[in-house]
Amino acid sequence: MEAEGADAPPGGVESALSCFSFNQDCTSLAIGTKAGYKLFSLSSVEQLDQVHGSNEIPDVYIVERLFSSSLVVVVSHTKPRQMNVYHFKKGTEICNYSYSSNILSIRLNRQRLLVCLEESIYIHNIKDMKLLKTLLDIPANPTGLCALSINHSNSYLAYPGSLTSGEIVLYDGNSLKTVCTIAAHEGTLAAITFNASGSKLASASEKGTVIRVFSVPDGQKLYEFRRGMKRYVTISSLVFSMDSQFLCASSNTETVHIFKLEQVTNSRPEETSTWSGYMGKMFMAATNYLPTQVSDMMHQDRAFATARLNFSGQRNICTLSTIQKLPRLLVASSNGHLYIYNLDPQDGGECVLIKTHSLLGSGTTEENKENDLRPSLPQSYAATVARPSASSASTVPGYSEDGGALRGEVIPEHEFATGPVCLDDENEFPPVSIRNP
């Protein structure tokens, strides 16, 4: 649910977005620019409230927020190998990590934080930022394509298993073991995403014509959707609705496609007695004798709904969310705008554009308002850690699930900054203090 890149969009706007991402439950939008980054609340159609903005780190190309919490992860072109984790409401740095090569993407849920490089993936425990596993034997992944289930009790990870074909490796982020390999497409992968529960995985290849949905963890194909046949496109984002009833895909074209995930019954006895029912049955039977590619095309479902953008060729991401009790399609573009469409969940069809917001203005900060609207996360999630010490190590007491203190652990110097980080009990992170030995 994000788009990244250093290049300006076609017809380049100097202050255009360098990256943008929706948070895990689609209640917030984060953007990165040459000047820094901003976070917006998506609780209203008419008004776009800026939750937070920072100019301390310039040239941001990755920014990810953990649900509606105060935890935000930032990567800048000034230090492309370093990940910075902040508690933005307190204005404190939780930690920073440096890696052997440029960071291409970051994914996080309440249990895990993934850092994807071109030839490796680092899996951290988000509660104390311990490095749990490094996946070194992965194929070259120049775009940093990977996906993480937002369900922390079901932390599946997916990443390309081949540089030349559409193979997906499904990995269990909790047990830290490979689950299976899915032969999803013939061509190279362009997009992969999990649904909210982590029970389904959707994928698209670089051709962008067919989108497939697989069950997790067994990797069986459940659905196959055809985005189009006339031309190959570059899929820029692929996302399920939170209830897993819809799947949305945007690309470098002017059309956003929304597919409905519903089981199609093969037997229709009520139609067999009619001429149309008989011909339909004969037509489907004839597909068994056609070439596989033609037969597959006839069985693929088309878009349930579409939305037309007023531009093409620009980086964009889409998401499906419920805002003010109605289903909406949201599209953020590198041209610096957020487009909000109405979606008819019963009849589908053409989605109607109802609001356009500029993301490059000053915005209105509504931190307190958002705190009232969004329930805070349980204190057992994302236990905060320390900032680096000038000494050789820092001792950081952690916290157990029942709130009791765990034994302090020695943290290498390069990982944390100096100084105590004490957070209020009312916030989503438990208090943590730092003692330098």
Side-chain angles (χ1 to χ4, degrees):
M1 291 187 285
E2 67 173 17
E4 302 165 359
D7 299 330
V13 181
E14 189 172 331
S15 57
L17 310 185
S18 55
C19 66
F20 33 94
S21 64
F22 294 103
N23 66 342
Q24 295 81 0
D25 57 2
C26 307
T27 58
S28 177
L29 172 65
I31 67 169
T33 67
K34 293 288 184 182
Y37 70 91
K38 296 179 181 179
L39 305 176
F40 298 94
S41 171
L42 301 175
S43 58
S44 170
V45 170
E46 294 300 323
Q47 185 174 346
L48 187 65
D49 295 328
Q50 181 178 316
V51 178
H52 175 70
S54 173
N55 295 328
E56 294 182 6
I57 299 181
D59 213 1
V60 170
Y61 73 95
I62 295 177
V63 55
E64 294 283 346
R65 185 183 185 187
L66 179 63
F67 289 89
S68 295
S69 74
S70 302
L71 189 148
V72 63
V73 183
V74 180
V75 183
S76 167
H77 277 300
T78 59
K79 293 183 178 180
R81 298 184 177 187
Q82 179 174 298
M83 172 188 68
N84 299 85
V85 184
Y86 295 101
H87 186 292
F88 67 81
K89 285 189 174 71
K90 293 293 182 180
T92 56
E93 182 184 72
I94 295 173
C95 67
N96 64 74
Y97 273 75
S98 294
Y99 301 87
S100 58
S101 61
N102 290 358
I103 300 171
L104 300 180
S105 62
I106 287 175
R107 302 286 183 266
L108 59 163
N109 61 26
R110 292 178 177 132
Q111 190 76 17
R112 297 288 181 256
L113 186 149
L114 308 180
V115 179
C116 186
L117 313 184
E118 183 170 354
E119 295 183 342
S120 57
I121 296 176
Y122 293 79
I123 304 176
H124 293 268
N125 180 25
I126 203 169
K127 295 181 181 180
D128 55 14
M129 284 306 297
K130 277 186 180 179
L131 179 61
L132 301 177
K133 185 78 172 181
T134 304
L135 304 179
L136 297 173
D137 56 346
I138 69 171
N141 185 10
T143 62
L145 180 63
C146 67
L148 176 68
S149 166
I150 69 172
N151 183 353
H152 63 279
S153 62
N154 204 13
S155 292
Y156 288 110
L157 160 67
Y159 61 90
S162 171
L163 188 59
T164 57
S165 69
E167 192 175 88
I168 303 174
V169 176
L170 184 63
Y171 188 89
D172 191 327
N174 287 333
S175 66
L176 304 177
K177 294 179 180 179
T178 300
V179 177
C180 69
T181 300
I182 304 171
H185 302 270
E186 292 183 1
T188 308
L189 292 171
I192 47 178
T193 187
F194 287 99
N195 67 338
S197 65
S199 61
K200 295 181 179 65
L201 174 68
S203 65
S205 72
E206 286 189 341
K207 291 181 179 179
T209 55
V210 176
I211 296 168
R212 296 188 173 103
V213 179
F214 303 90
S215 60
V216 175
D218 56 14
Q220 297 299 310
K221 186 172 72 173
L222 300 176
Y223 304 93
E224 192 168 80
F225 302 107
R226 177 160 288 276
R227 194 213 55 81
M229 291 187 294
K230 293 182 180 179
R231 54 180 172 172
Y232 292 166
V233 301
T234 301
I235 300 292
S236 56
S237 69
L238 191 61
V239 62
F240 286 93
S241 59
M242 291 301 293
D243 60 7
S244 300
Q245 290 188 19
F246 300 97
L247 179 64
C248 182
S250 66
S251 65
N252 57 340
T253 70
E254 67 282 355
T255 306
V256 178
H257 294 79
I258 300 172
F259 305 95
K260 192 170 186 178
L261 279 70
E262 54 186 355
Q263 290 297 138
V264 178
T265 306
N266 292 327
S267 59
R268 297 180 180 179
E270 71 279 0
E271 293 182 355
T272 55
S273 59
T274 66
W275 173 252
S276 60
Y278 174 77
M279 291 302 296
K281 191 174 181 180
M282 293 298 292
F283 176 79
M284 294 307 294
T287 62
N288 296 326
Y289 302 96
L290 295 172
T292 302
Q293 291 181 337
V294 178
S295 177
D296 288 347
M297 189 181 302
M298 290 180 175
H299 284 88
Q300 290 161 355
D301 293 328
R302 301 304 177 89
F304 169 75
T306 57
R308 189 160 295 275
L309 307 175
N310 60 4
F311 59 86
S312 63
Q314 295 183 357
R315 291 180 295 111
N316 64 79
I317 58 172
C318 61
T319 195
L320 296 166
S321 182
T322 300
I323 301 178
Q324 294 169 319
K325 300 182 180 181
L326 292 175
R328 319 282 188 178
L329 166 67
L330 284 69
V331 181
S333 171
S334 58
N335 64 15
H337 290 87
L338 173 67
Y339 304 89
I340 303 179
Y341 295 78
N342 273 344
L343 168 65
D344 186 336
Q346 300 299 324
D347 299 326
E350 186 76 19
C351 298
V352 178
L353 177 65
I354 55 173
K355 191 68 178 180
T356 302
H357 292 286
S358 172
L359 301 171
L360 299 173
S362 57
T364 303
T365 302
E366 294 285 347
E367 294 190 24
N368 293 331
K369 179 179 177 181
E370 190 191 52
N371 270 340
D372 294 338
L373 293 173
R374 308 277 181 238
S376 60
L377 298 179
Q379 289 192 1
S380 61
Y381 294 138
T384 307
V385 290
R387 300 181 53 175
S389 164
S391 61
S392 59
S394 297
T395 302
V396 185
Y399 280 78
S400 62
E401 293 292 335
D402 60 2
L406 299 175
R407 288 178 297 173
E409 296 170 340
V410 177
I411 307 299
E413 176 186 2
H414 71 278
E415 295 176 1
F416 302 103
T418 311
V421 181
C422 295
L423 309 180
D424 297 335
D425 291 337
E426 65 194 29
N427 288 322
E428 59 275 9
F429 306 118
V432 175
S433 60
I434 310 306
R435 296 192 303 273
N436 294 325

